[in-house]
């Protein structure tokens, strides 16, 4: 279980253990490891406020961080 980062020609999976904290901005959820930023989840793909709240709740349950809502 973790976060998949899909790139043009490859995919990288980061386990939840590799993610130390999450910071939410108005545009993205930034996922950090011990050495810095690992990846981000862009909010532009979230289609409703309910979906945003569900993602925020899921991430809060997984990792501590700074959340807007």
């Amino acid at each position: 279980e973790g976060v998949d980062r899909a790139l043009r020609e490859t995919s990288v999976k980061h386990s939840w253990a590799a993610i130390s904290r999450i910071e939410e901005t108005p545009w993205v959820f930034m996922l950090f490891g011990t050495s810095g930023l690992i990846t981000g989840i862009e909010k532009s793909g979230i289609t409703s406020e309910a979906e945003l709240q569900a993602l925020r709740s899921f991430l809060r349950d997984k990792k501590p961080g700074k959340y807007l809502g």
Side-chain angles (χ1 to χ4, degrees):
E1 188 176 280
V3 176
D4 289 324
R5 181 177 173 208
L7 304 172
R8 185 171 298 174
E9 297 181 15
T10 188
S11 178
V12 178
K13 184 164 190 155
H14 302 283
S15 69
W16 286 113
I19 298 168
S20 59
R21 76 181 194 285
I22 299 171
E23 292 185 18
E24 181 182 0
T25 75
W27 304 277
V28 69
F29 290 94
M30 298 184 300
L31 285 66
F32 291 88
T34 56
S35 61
L37 183 65
I38 291 176
T39 192
I41 301 171
E42 293 184 27
K43 291 181 178 180
S44 61
I46 299 172
T47 59
S48 69
E49 184 63 28
E51 193 175 85
L52 175 61
Q53 292 299 333
L55 176 58
R56 189 180 284 131
S57 178
F58 174 80
L59 293 173
R60 274 191 182 128
D61 288 346
K62 291 293 183 185
K63 290 293 170 179
K66 295 179 183 175
Y67 297 94
L68 298 180

